[in-house]
Amino acid sequence: MDQLDATFAALADPTRRAILARLIQGEASVMELAEPFAMSQPSISKHLKVLENAGLISRGRDAQRRPCRLEAKPLAEANDWLERYRNIWEGNFQRLDALLVAMQAEKAPDSTDQ
C-alpha cells in the first residue's frame, strides 16, 4: 500500500483521529491514550499499530514505557495532496463568482431608462 493510501486509511477511523489529536499535545503512553476511550487496551493497541504502520506515529522506549509520538511527514504529504485539489476548487468558485456577478450586471435595470 502506498504511503498516501495508508495515511488516509488510518485517518478514516474517528478513534485514530482522536489519538492523533491527543498526540499533538505531546507524547503519551498506551495507557494514557486509552484513558478517554471506552475500549480495552488491546483495542487501542490495534489502532496504534495501524497508525504506526502508516508512519503517523512512532513508539520510543523509555524504561517500561513505550511512549507514542506524532510523526508529521505523512500528514504533510496528505495535506499537500489535498491542497492541490483545494486550489482547483477555489479557482472554480472564483470563476463561478465572476460569472454570477456578470449575469447580475446584465440583468440589472439600466439606470438611463428612467
Side-chain angles (χ1 to χ4, degrees):
M1 183 183 306
D2 101 326
Q3 179 63 53
L4 195 57
D5 289 345
T7 298
F8 283 120
L11 293 174
D13 185 273
T15 300
R16 292 192 286 267
R17 291 191 306 270
I19 290 169
L20 292 176
R22 163 53 186 89
L23 290 174
I24 289 171
Q25 300 168 17
E27 67 180 37
S29 70
V30 174
M31 294 307 291
E32 291 168 332
L33 293 171
E35 209 170 276
F37 301 103
M39 62 178 63
S40 67
Q41 187 271 334
S43 294
I44 289 294
S45 290
K46 287 180 183 177
H47 284 293
L48 293 175
K49 192 68 173 166
V50 171
L51 291 169
E52 190 174 19
N53 288 340
L56 294 166
I57 67 167
S58 61
R59 295 197 210 194
R61 180 110 24 227
D62 180 14
Q64 300 296 333
R65 278 183 48 171
R66 290 204 58 206
C68 299
R69 68 183 60 82
L70 189 63
E71 295 295 332
K73 186 178 180 214
L75 289 172
E77 290 170 354
N79 185 60
D80 291 346
W81 185 85
L82 289 168
E83 188 68 19
R84 288 189 303 242
Y85 291 94
R86 186 185 67 78
N87 289 335
I88 290 167
W89 281 105
E90 259 184 26
N92 288 344
F93 288 133
Q94 288 172 357
R95 285 188 296 282
L96 180 58
D97 286 344
L99 177 62
L100 291 172
V101 167
M103 289 173 68
Q104 288 173 343
E106 288 175 9
K107 192 175 177 184
D110 190 1
S111 60
T112 59
D113 291 343
Q114 296 179 1

